[in-house]
Amino acid sequence: MTRINRRKFLVYGSTAVGTSILLKACGGGSDPAADTTAPAEGEAAPAAAGGGDTIKVGILHSLSGTMAISETTVVDAEELAIKEINAAGGVLGKQIEIVKEDGASDWDTFAEKAEKLIDQDQVTVVFGCWTSASRKKVLPVFEAKDHMLWYPVQYEGQECSKNIFYTGAAPNQQIEPAVDWLLENKGTDFFLVGSDYVFPRTANNIIKEQLKANGGNTVGEDYLPLGNTEVTPIITKIKAALPDGGVIFNSLNGDSNVAFFKQLKGAGMGPDKYPVMSVSIADEEVRTIGPDFLTGHYAAWNYFQTVESAENEKWVSDFKAEYGDDRVTNDPMEAAYIMVYLWKQAVEKAGSTDIAAVREAAYGQVFDAPGGTVTMNPNHHISKTVRIGEIREDGLFDIVSATDGPVTPIPWNQYVADTKGYACDWSDPAKGGKFKEA
């Protein structure tokens, strides 16, 4: 297995109806969940969450629509973490109560549900979103209300909000190392394909600048509307741009991946000549699409189910015990599981669910995660190990490359001229979300 130089990574940037669920420890009879219905007109709003017998948290993901293929799995991971925490005594001596909402793969719905969770349900925190489009849509809500979102998915960077904690990879923890590995091992000619929204387009802008700086070539670039399965024109363009083969960098999301990989194989474009590196396909998506269409292709993440560690062995075992032996774990699920525990630790350190106190207490929190030790940085992103995996016939990943340890996150990209030299540090009010490093 290739070991990726850690120092190099540091230079990369130097159901639309809500439900309320109280997950309690197994054993005797459980108390009913608190009433989360909105007060009638003229009545006082309910007491702030955290002040009663339970601590309310929001879960906001797509439980329906094109993104449900991915987002329902992170809900499982979040609920497992909450169940474990409640079984161990809860947080500050209180049980965690879940208020769950369906973003329905619709960005306006995400914003509406975020407002409901904050204003009506009065949750203390929200765990949610997958796509950057949904995150961008709810960001103004959380900032205007000075509330807190924990976001579990890798993304394009170029953002550092005081009101969001990001537990997925920044580009220097996924996209950039994937490009470097491909240049070293698979070729210099790249065709970029993605869903037509902010993450793939921003990611591909970064990739194009990185290829320019490192002797690679972007021979083509094309996008599909999210959920669109008309992939034949893209397959045709790839063949024309790479007649003798080459690298395909894939940032498609949701159901589009099913059609893409099936038609890629149908066109005789196998991984021997057309290796695909994906950044939104993990173990669960492989299981859904079918390993027959994916074996031999690659993905870049921070976690795979095949990571060898005592923490991962226990987590996989616990997850399967909860949801079934046929289920698999993946990177966004692990990041979702991690963020619940990091939030819990921050609340306990703060001794309160007060947003400002929890935010400050989150800095420096460490957790021995299934994929390795992670640390929350003052830039609201976590240090984590980077891995590249090759898809096996059984649908899991052989880890073919990994860093020696956690890589420090860099939200503002150092290949893009407009953000080169910028950083983020919310522990220092004078620096905040974006400042020029000396």
Side-chain angles (χ1 to χ4, degrees):
M1 179 177 69
T2 306
R3 304 304 297 184
I4 303 176
N5 189 320
R6 181 168 174 248
R7 198 170 299 160
K8 186 173 188 181
F9 282 84
L10 299 179
V11 231
Y12 280 143
S14 239
T15 174
V17 177
T19 58
S20 175
I21 306 167
L22 181 59
L23 296 180
K24 290 205 167 196
C26 298
S30 58
D31 294 332
D35 181 12
T36 58
T37 55
E41 187 175 352
E43 289 182 5
D53 295 330
T54 63
I55 294 177
K56 283 188 190 177
V57 304
I59 288 182
L60 176 57
H61 289 290
S62 294
L63 309 179
S64 60
T66 188
M67 289 308 301
I69 183 178
S70 297
E71 293 194 62
T72 52
T73 66
V74 298
V75 174
D76 290 342
E78 290 159 9
E79 290 185 341
L80 177 61
I82 291 168
K83 182 175 182 179
E84 291 174 350
I85 292 167
N86 280 344
V91 182
L92 301 180
K94 300 179 182 181
Q95 295 284 284
I96 301 173
E97 178 186 351
I98 297 172
V99 184
K100 185 160 61 176
E101 290 289 347
D102 181 9
S105 304
D106 177 80
W107 319 143
D108 289 334
T109 299
F110 267 92
E112 292 168 8
K113 297 299 186 180
E115 289 188 346
K116 173 190 176 293
L117 286 167
I118 295 169
D119 294 337
Q120 179 177 319
D121 300 308
Q122 297 196 351
V123 298
T124 60
V125 66
V126 176
F127 304 112
C129 300
W130 178 294
T131 67
S132 288
S134 63
R135 190 195 68 255
K136 290 286 190 185
K137 198 70 176 180
V138 304
L139 185 149
V141 175
F142 284 91
E143 291 189 337
K145 298 176 183 297
D146 195 21
H147 214 273
M148 181 179 289
L149 170 71
W150 288 69
Y151 175 68
V153 184
Q154 98 291 355
Y155 81 120
E156 70 282 356
Q158 308 299 68
E159 179 180 302
C160 190
S161 172
K162 183 181 76 168
N163 299 90
I164 301 178
F165 283 95
Y166 311 76
T167 58
N172 74 302
Q173 297 170 311
Q174 186 198 32
I175 295 168
E176 295 170 28
V179 170
D180 276 343
W181 185 86
L182 289 165
L183 287 171
E184 185 177 342
N185 295 280
K186 296 297 175 180
T188 57
D189 293 334
F190 284 54
F191 194 103
L192 313 180
V193 57
S195 297
D196 193 6
Y197 72 100
V198 62
F199 165 61
R201 285 192 175 274
T202 307
N204 286 341
N205 286 338
I206 291 169
I207 291 169
K208 286 183 286 188
E209 293 302 320
Q210 185 178 356
L211 290 175
K212 281 182 195 176
N214 291 282
N217 308 300
T218 304
V219 301
E221 179 180 4
D222 207 355
Y223 298 90
L224 275 178
L226 196 62
N228 189 300
T229 57
E230 296 295 326
V231 299
T232 302
I234 289 183
I235 302 291
T236 302
K237 290 177 184 178
I238 294 173
K239 267 189 166 180
L242 295 169
D244 300 318
V247 174
I248 302 171
F249 202 100
N250 171 37
S251 54
L252 289 169
N253 272 265
D255 297 336
S256 301
N257 275 307
V258 180
F260 178 72
F261 279 99
K262 288 184 176 180
Q263 291 196 34
L264 197 68
K265 183 174 181 177
M269 300 168 68
D272 54 334
K273 288 184 64 177
Y274 293 92
V276 180
M277 176 68 77
S278 297
V279 289
S280 290
I281 288 181
D283 309 64
E284 183 71 25
E285 286 78 15
V286 173
R287 187 178 78 113
T288 303
I289 296 168
D292 289 350
F293 302 102
L294 292 160
T295 300
H297 291 296
Y298 300 89
W301 292 103
N302 308 110
Y303 168 86
F304 295 104
Q305 183 174 298
T306 48
V307 166
E308 295 181 358
S309 71
E311 290 82 6
N312 188 45
E313 183 178 350
K314 182 180 185 306
W315 186 55
V316 172
S317 175
D318 291 346
F319 185 86
K320 287 178 177 289
E322 182 71 20
Y323 296 110
D325 285 338
D326 62 326
R327 292 292 302 276
V328 294
T329 56
N330 65 27
D331 183 283
M333 293 162 67
E334 191 235 14
Y337 181 81
I338 287 170
M339 70 185 183
V340 177
Y341 273 98
L342 288 172
W343 167 81
K344 167 193 178 284
Q345 291 175 189
V347 170
E348 289 175 338
K349 181 180 178 182
S352 164
T353 56
D354 176 76
I355 298 291
V358 173
R359 181 186 300 125
E360 185 176 349
Y363 306 144
Q365 287 296 331
V366 177
F367 183 69
D368 289 328
T373 302
V374 300
T375 305
M376 179 57 70
N377 291 265
N379 62 17
H380 285 210
H381 295 68
I382 62 175
S383 302
K384 56 201 312 189
T385 301
V386 180
R387 297 177 171 94
I388 293 170
E390 180 179 353
I391 301 169
R392 309 188 315 207
E393 291 181 358
D394 65 358
L396 298 179
F397 286 83
D398 278 332
I399 298 170
V400 298
S401 186
T403 55
D404 292 327
V407 173
T408 302
I410 303 172
W412 297 110
N413 195 265
Q414 302 304 295
Y415 280 111
V416 177
D418 289 347
T419 53
K420 187 174 183 177
Y422 283 91
C424 167
D425 183 355
W426 284 109
S427 68
D428 183 347
K431 295 178 177 177
K434 189 177 182 182
F435 70 94
K436 189 79 170 178
E437 292 185 298

